[in-house]
Amino acid sequence: MSAQMLPSWPRLSFAVAFNVGGTSGATPFYTDLTSRLREQWTATQGGRQYEQDAVQAGTATFTLDNTDGALDSTNAAGPYFGSIAPYRRVRVTATWPPSQNLLPQGLANGSSLADLQVTNGTRAVAAVPLAPSGHTKAIAWGYPAISGGQACGLGATNNGWAGCDSDAVPVLGQPGQAPGQPWTFTVYAAVAVGGQAGLQLNARISWYRQDGTRIAPSDAAVVTVATAPGWTRLAVTATAPPGAVWARPAVISPAPTVTTTATTVYLTGWQFEQAATATAWADPGTTYPLWSGFVERFQQRWKGTAYGTVTLPCVDPLAPLARLTLQPGFQQSLAGLGPNFIYPFNEPSGATQFADATGKRPAWTVVAAPPGAGSATVTAGSSLQGVGFVGATGPVVTISNPNAGSSSNLPGVMLSASAGAAAGPPATGGWTRLIVFRTTATPNGPMALWSSYAPGALMSGGAQVYAGPRSAFAIFIGADGIVNAGANNADGSALVTVSVPGVNVRDGNWHLALAKVSPDGTMITLSVDNLAYFNTTTGDCHPTSCTTDVIGGTMVAGFSQGLYSGDIAYAVEVPVELDVGTALDLGHGFAQGWAGESSANRARRILTAAGFPGGITSLDTQTVMGAANVAGQNAGAALQMVADSEAGQVYADPSGSITLAGRRWRYLQTTPAVTFGEMAAAGEVPYLGDVEIDLDPDHVYNTVQVTNQVAPNATPQPDSYATNAASQAAYFPSSLSRTINVQDPNEARYAAAYLAGQYAAPVPRVSRITVDPVGTPGVWPKLLGLQFGTRARLMRRPNAATPIQLDTYVEQVEWKGDDQGRLAVTVQQSAAAPYSGWMVAAALHTTLAAPAAAGTSVVTLSALNGAAANPAAAVLPAGTVLTIGYGTPAAEQVTVAPGGVAPTNPGYTTVAVTITTPLAGAHVAGEAVCQPPPGSLTLPAGAVYPAALDAGATLTATGGPRAAY
C-alpha cells in the first residue's frame, strides 16, 4: 500500500494507542498501523435512525495484516507484547488535501501554538516579514538569556524531548513507511531586529521507540541565523534508526551558546517529510477525526500457515458506559473519592454484620458494651425515616441505647470494626471521616457518633487511668445537640477540638458530619450540613496506635460511655483532606441529591462515576436538573435521561469526546453546512442513487406521556399527558412516553404538549444517502466534517417535476474504506421540520392603531410581534389577556373573544380584535397594548416592560431563545 495511491482521496491514518486504555488518563501514544489495513473496513459514528430514538454507541471493524505475528498477544518477541489487550484506544483520521508535509497545519504555517512547546523561554504567534515559504506569520520564540541547549518544536507537552508525546509524527506504520527510510525536517528562521547578532541554531529530529523512550537524536550542522527581514532555512536529513516509531522535529540552540541581549527568533514554514532532500514547503492539509473509540477484542485468523490477520471490532466511548451499574448517587460520589472504606449500613433486616462497599476492609459487627447489652438493640433494615437525606434509598441501621449519653460504664450496644482490623484514622497525612445520622434522643450527656481510642486515652481527674498511648479521635453530639469533634496525639501534646454551633441535630432529621485533619496534623475542620468550623494546634494531632474503632459510643480498656441512640446510614474514611469544593458538593448531594445543578454538571458527574477521563463537551445546554435518582441504572442510561431532560442529545463525536447537546442546539443551526445535490459546480455534493424519500406515519405521536423522576423515597409526581385530537383522527392514536428528571415540576407538562404538537403530522424523510467523491474531490472538506447533528439539505431535481428540497439533520455517519485508500460515506438523516420553530421570552405587545371609545367591544391594534411572517391569529389566540393603555392611569385588562381576531395575511399593519367585555373607559391611539407582566418577572436595572424583552427574542441574541419547551 503506497503513501498516496489515489490522489483524489484524503490521506488516511489508522492508529492504536497500545500504552493506555479504559479509564486511564495517561497520554496516549498512537502507533500508526495504516500499512497493515487489509480488505474493507467500516467505521460507524454514534448516532440513531430517527430524532426520537436514543443515540446508539458507534462501532467499527478493521482487519489488519498479522502474518508476522506482531499483533499476537502471546508472541513474547512481538513489538506490542504485554500491551495487546481489550479497550486500547483507536482512532481514524483523514487529512485533506494531502501533501508530503506531515506536521500539524497550525504549526506548519506558524499560526498556532497548539502543537508547539519550548524547553525554555516564551512562545507566541507574531506577524513577520514575508518568508520564502510565503508566510507572514511565525512562531515568535522569546529566546532565554541563558546558555544554549534549549529547544523549540513539535510537542504537546514540555518534557525536554526526553520522552515521546501524543504529537509525535509516525515514522513507521503509515503507508510506504519502513525502517531505514530517509526523513527531512526544514524550517525558516530569522532573528528579530535588535536580537543577538550571530545567533546559531540547528535543526534536530528526535526518534522514539515503541515505549516512548528517545533514541539518540539526529542533528544538522549549526547555522548562523539571519536577522529579519532575512531568513535562513534550517534543515536536517536523517535515516530513521532501528526501532524508531515516532519522530519530533525541533530547533536547537547548541551549547555553549549564550545570549547577552533580549532575543526573539521567528520560525515559520515548518515541514517534515519522508524524503532524502528538502522540497518546497507545502501545506499539510487539515486533519479531520473520522472515528475514535476503543478496540473491544483482537480476533486472530490464519489461512494455512502463510497468511494471518487480526480483526479489531471497536466501540466508541458510549459503549463501555453501559457496563457500569450505578450505586445510589451519594454512595457513587463517595466511591469516586478513592475511600479507604464505605460502610453504607444498608443490609436487610436481621443482619448483624455490615460490609464495606469498597471491599477493602472486613465487616463491622454488633458489639455489647463491657457491662453487656442490656435492653439495647441494633436493628438492621430500618426504613429511611425523617427528612434531609435524598442521596440514597436506605435501608439504614437503628441503634437503640436506653443509657444514651451516660458517662458511666453502663450496658449498651455499638458497631465496631472487626477484631484485628485496622483501627483509627490514618496516622499520617491528611484524611477525612464522615458519618450520616439522625436522632431524637434526649441524652444524659455527650453521645459519641464515631470514636477511635488508644489504651491510654481514658482520663480521670486529668490523669491516665491506664498506661499507653493517649491517641483519640471522636465525633460526638453534646447534650445541647451540637456536634463536636476532636483529635489527640499519642503523648497528649497536641489536642484540638472544634464544634459547629447553630445546628441542633437532635431534631429527627438526617445530618451529615464531616471531620478532616490537615496533612501536617495542625488543623481539624468539622462541618455539619455544609456549615464548617476549624481549629488549630501547634503540634501534630494525628492519633496513632488506636485499638478501637466504634460507631455509637466509645470503648477503651474495658470501659464504655457516651452511648448513642438513633439511626446510622454511612460511615466513610477518605485518605485525603477533602478540599472545600468537594466537601460542599458532597453536602449538596446528601441533602438535595444535587437538585438544581445544570444538565452539563449532572452528565459530568455520571461520567466521573464511570471513570471516564475525557470529561464532557456541552453545546448550549440550559436545563436545571432535579434530584439524582440513578441507583440501579447503568451509566449510559443515566446519561441518556439527562439528554432527554434537556430535550437534547448525548453522543460521542468523531474525536471521542462525549458531547451533551441542548434543546436549542438544533434550532440555532439555521444554515445547512452541506447541500447534497447534483449541481457540483454550485457547491453541492453529488450522491449515489440509493436515496429514498418517505412520507409515513412511523414517527407520528399524538398521545404523549411524560414522567418526571423524583428523588429516592420522594412521593412520585403525577404523570403529564397531552393528546392531539386532530392528529389522532387523521393518523390513528400513537403513543410516546418519556422519563425526565428536572427541577421544575411544570416542565413535564410543557414537554408533553411540545411533543404532541411537534410530531402530530408526518413529514417527508430521507433515510440515508451514500457519497463516493472519487470524481469530485473538492467536496472532501464538507464531507470530512460531517457528524451527528450537522444541519444538511437534500436537493432532488426530477426532470418533469418541481425540485425537491428537504432540510435535515445528520443522525449517523458511516465511513467505509479499503486497503487501496478508497473512501466513501453513508449519511443517515432525519427531517429538520420538527425543529423549525422556537419559543422566545418576549411579551406580546403593540399599540392602539385607532382611538377606542368606552363601551366598545372591538379595538383596532397595530401590527403584532412577528407580523412580517405570521397572520395576527397565529400569535393572538382566544383567551389571551391584554392590558389596554399599559402604563397609564386608564389601563384595563381585556380578554380576546373566541374567533375575535380578524383575518389577516403576513405583512398586515392593523387588525381588528373583538374582546369579551366592553371597554370600561376611553383610550387614545398610540397607547401601549400588551400582555400583563408575570408576577415573577424581574427586569434589569433601567429596563422598561414590555419592549425591554425584545432584544433577547431573536435567534442571534446573546444566549439565544428558549427553544422547544
Side-chain angles (χ1 to χ4, degrees), residues 344-675:
F345 298 113
N346 59 359
E347 279 75 7
S349 177
T352 57
Q353 297 191 15
F354 306 96
D356 170 18
T358 72
K360 299 177 182 177
R361 299 284 180 92
W364 280 40
T365 59
V366 179
V367 297
S375 62
T377 59
V378 172
T379 305
S382 299
S383 60
L384 195 65
Q385 303 294 322
V387 299
F389 183 24
V390 302
T393 58
V396 299
V397 165
T398 300
I399 302 175
S400 179
N401 274 309
N403 299 308
S406 175
S407 60
S408 302
N409 191 17
L410 296 174
V413 289
M414 290 165 275
L415 302 172
S416 174
S418 300
T428 59
W431 52 264
T432 303
R433 279 189 163 188
L434 64 90
I435 188 166
V436 174
F437 64 96
R438 71 179 284 268
T439 183
T440 57
T442 304
N444 298 320
M447 296 188 298
L449 284 168
W450 194 351
S451 66
S452 302
Y453 280 82
L458 188 61
M459 306 292 291
S460 177
Q464 287 183 267
V465 177
Y466 302 100
R470 294 174 53 182
S471 297
F473 163 75
I475 303 174
F476 59 94
I477 304 170
D480 56 1
I482 302 302
V483 179
N484 304 261
N488 190 70
N489 65 358
D491 62 11
S493 61
L495 169 64
V496 60
T497 61
V498 63
S499 63
V500 179
V503 181
N504 189 319
V505 299
R506 292 184 8 246
D507 56 3
N509 296 328
W510 284 95
H511 300 279
L512 169 66
L514 183 151
K516 57 184 182 178
V517 166
S518 62
D520 61 4
T522 62
M523 183 170 71
I524 185 171
T525 303
L526 175 66
S527 73
V528 178
D529 302 340
N530 274 354
L531 180 62
Y533 286 80
F534 70 91
N535 201 359
T536 59
T537 179
T538 56
D540 183 349
C541 73
H542 277 96
T544 57
S545 305
C546 292
T547 55
T548 64
D549 222 350
V550 175
I551 289 175
T554 65
M555 188 158 51
V556 56
F559 189 92
S560 67
Q561 62 182 18
L563 298 172
Y564 168 80
S565 192
D567 294 336
I568 298 291
Y570 279 89
V572 182
E573 180 181 274
V574 181
V576 295
E577 179 190 19
L578 294 181
D579 60 75
V580 173
T582 301
L584 289 173
D585 186 67
L586 279 176
H588 184 201
F590 158 78
Q592 301 177 41
W594 299 284
E597 72 178 342
S598 69
S599 57
N601 282 345
R602 179 65 55 80
R604 194 171 294 114
R605 188 179 305 282
I606 294 168
L607 290 177
T608 299
F612 185 74
I616 192 163
T617 299
S618 175
L619 295 177
D620 203 56
T621 56
Q622 61 178 5
T623 292
V624 178
M625 301 298 294
N629 189 352
V630 298
Q633 296 184 57
N634 69 62
L639 202 59
Q640 182 61 48
M641 183 179 290
V642 176
D644 288 341
S645 301
E646 182 62 57
Q649 303 86 31
V650 62
Y651 62 98
D653 72 13
S655 69
S657 174
I658 293 183
T659 302
L660 177 67
R663 63 184 61 180
R664 300 186 299 184
W665 174 50
R666 294 198 173 193
Y667 289 83
L668 296 175
Q669 297 184 64
T670 57
T671 303
V674 58
T675 298

Side-chain angles (χ1 to χ4, degrees), residues 844 862-877 901-913:
L844 179 67
S862 302
L864 298 164
N865 306 51
N870 303 292
V875 296
L876 193 60
V901 181
T904 60
N905 293 315
Y908 68 92
T909 57
T910 63
V911 58
V913 177

Side-chain angles (χ1 to χ4, degrees), residues 741-824:
N741 174 216
V742 295
Q743 188 175 51
D744 183 356
N746 295 312
E747 194 150 344
R749 179 164 50 87
Y750 305 152
Y754 161 75
L755 293 169
Q758 292 289 78
Y759 295 96
V763 294
R765 294 175 178 271
V766 51
S767 56
R768 58 192 293 131
I769 60 172
T770 300
V771 179
D772 186 348
V774 62
T776 52
V779 306
W780 280 116
K782 297 179 181 180
L783 293 177
L784 295 174
L786 286 177
Q787 60 173 301
F788 179 84
T790 301
R791 178 93 180 221
R793 176 170 292 164
L794 176 80
M795 298 300 302
R796 192 73 178 179
R797 298 176 175 88
N799 289 336
T802 303
I804 299 170
Q805 175 180 308
L806 297 177
D807 278 12
T808 66
Y809 287 102
V810 172
E811 298 293 351
Q812 193 163 64
V813 176
E814 181 178 83
W815 290 97
K816 289 188 177 181
D818 61 22
D819 53 10
Q820 299 301 306
R822 296 185 180 90
L823 191 62

